[in-house]
Amino acid sequence: QVQLVESGGGLVQPGGSLRLSCTTSGLILSIYVMGWYRQAPGKQRELVANIPTGITTNYADSVKGRFTISRDNAKNTFYLQMNNLKPEDTAVYYCNVRGRSFAADRPDYWGQGTQVTVSS
């Protein structure tokens, strides 16, 4: 049984920081692409950052220089450090783990989401 659980969301002021965690179980995290997505009300879910391979990271243009994705394979956990948060970062953040494949039926697992609200 594969499970992903996000934690660390909350309310922060603009310019503040937040660290999200995604704790996984039921899989070997290191062999999967791991990533963070977010979805604001009425908007499409978008990729925030991911680690497609062990030494590669990708970031959305909107978060480059502010967010950092990292992992701890021994703990089956990966993180999203968010600095200099802006109101437009407000969204539900989801962690995702998927197989390293472009096939439509590849393994694809999602957490239930954690709310991040950036407001004064």
Side-chain angles (χ1 to χ4, degrees):
Q1 184 72 35
V2 174
Q3 290 189 338
L4 281 66
V5 179
E6 302 97 338
S7 62
L11 174 65
V12 297
Q13 294 184 335
S17 297
L18 211 58
R19 185 190 187 220
L20 306 183
S21 299
C22 181
T23 300
T24 71
S25 61
L27 54 78
I28 302 173
L29 183 60
S30 61
I31 68 174
Y32 292 92
V33 179
M34 58 201 80
W36 288 96
Y37 295 74
R38 67 186 182 188
Q39 188 168 29
K43 295 186 177 180
Q44 186 179 18
R45 186 174 300 185
E46 65 173 340
L47 174 68
V48 177
N50 70 2
I51 307 175
T53 70
I55 60 172
T56 303
T57 57
N58 296 308
Y59 295 92
D61 288 342
S62 59
V63 307
K64 285 180 180 177
R66 300 189 297 120
F67 290 11
T68 303
I69 187 170
S70 61
R71 66 179 183 178
D72 187 338
N73 290 336
K75 296 181 179 180
N76 290 320
T77 300
F78 61 101
Y79 309 92
L80 185 68
Q81 178 66 46
M82 304 184 293
N83 297 325
N84 192 23
L85 283 160
K86 304 176 183 296
E88 51 263 42
D89 296 318
T90 296
V92 177
Y93 284 70
Y94 300 88
C95 62
N96 169 261
V97 173
R98 65 166 176 84
R100 290 172 177 164
S101 171
F102 293 100
D105 61 348
R106 67 189 176 190
D108 192 14
Y109 307 107
W110 293 89
Q112 63 187 23
T114 185
Q115 177 71 47
V116 172
T117 302
V118 185
S119 176
S120 60

